[in-house]
Amino acid sequence: MIELARSAAATRRGSGTAALIGQIWRFATVGVLATVAHLTIYSALSELLVVEPLAANAVAFVLAFGVSFTGQAGWTFRDDAGGRWLTSARLTRFLAASVAGFAFNTSIVFVIVTLLDYPGIYALPFMATLVPAALFLLNKYWVFGSASGAGELVPTGQPETGKPGHFAVLQGDASRSKGEGRCS
């Protein structure tokens, strides 16, 4: 019975190893696109428009963050077809995950360069593998996963009529009080 109530996205994308590989591929693709956006915007602002480099980097980061959130929420981890994937709770958690990724990245550089006294280039393999893997897990299971309330089945309809109840996917933050969450 529960199998019949899966979300449309889960049905479209399948399940198991192939679905996970597809999700990892989409996550990496969005990450590369956000990185390209960041570098392109930074270069255009700092080199062509002669914007101060730190200001150019800040603007580029904010715009690339938007690319990343939209791509991850709307493509990689999207759980419905109705557009309810774009919530402030998810945006807040995505920002927190991004800050955690930055802190993890910085910790890797600190340990390798400062504590171990190795050249900075030695940090690159760890930065390129451990940080994206940790961010994928944070995004999958915390930002967009069941902890976000996404994918949770809730009864809809009017049970007092004696008709069979329908199930919908709860969207939004499951920790909100009744009446504030959105149900379809």
Side-chain angles (χ1 to χ4, degrees), residues 13 68-80 85 144:
R13 293 193 177 138
S68 184
F69 176 72
T70 303
Q72 301 302 5
W75 186 41
T76 305
F77 299 106
R78 187 167 186 156
D79 59 3
D80 76 307
W85 50 269
F144 302 107

Side-chain angles (χ1 to χ4, degrees), residues 91-154:
L91 178 61
T92 302
R93 284 192 292 269
F94 189 80
L95 177 60
S98 297
V99 169
F102 176 76
F104 187 29
N105 211 346
T106 301
S107 299
I108 290 170
V109 173
F110 177 78
V111 167
I112 291 175
V113 174
T114 305
L115 295 181
L116 299 177
D117 201 28
Y118 286 111
I121 198 160
Y122 282 43
L124 292 177
F126 300 102
M127 294 165 65
T129 57
L130 296 179
V131 175
L135 285 174
F136 176 80
L137 294 172
L138 270 176
N139 279 284
K140 181 170 179 63
Y141 295 108
W142 183 58
V143 175
F144 302 107
S146 61
S148 69
E152 187 177 309
L153 295 178
V154 295

Side-chain angles (χ1 to χ4, degrees), residues 31-110:
V32 167
L33 291 173
T35 300
V36 168
H38 188 143
L39 297 175
T40 302
I41 294 165
Y42 170 80
S43 298
L45 290 174
S46 65
E47 299 300 320
L48 299 177
L49 300 176
V50 195
V51 173
E52 193 274 324
L54 290 177
N57 187 52
V59 169
F61 173 82
V62 168
L63 294 174
F65 178 86
V67 168
S68 184
F69 176 72
T70 303
Q72 301 302 5
W75 186 41
T76 305
F77 299 106
R78 187 167 186 156
D79 59 3
D80 76 307
R84 292 176 304 278
W85 50 269
L86 186 61
T87 66
S88 60
R90 287 179 175 174
L91 178 61
T92 302
R93 284 192 292 269
F94 189 80
L95 177 60
S98 297
V99 169
F102 176 76
F104 187 29
N105 211 346
T106 301
S107 299
I108 290 170
V109 173
F110 177 78

Side-chain angles (χ1 to χ4, degrees), residues 157-174:
Q158 306 204 358
E160 64 273 1
T161 64
K163 294 180 182 176
H166 302 298
F167 286 89
V169 178
L170 175 65
Q171 300 301 318
D173 191 349

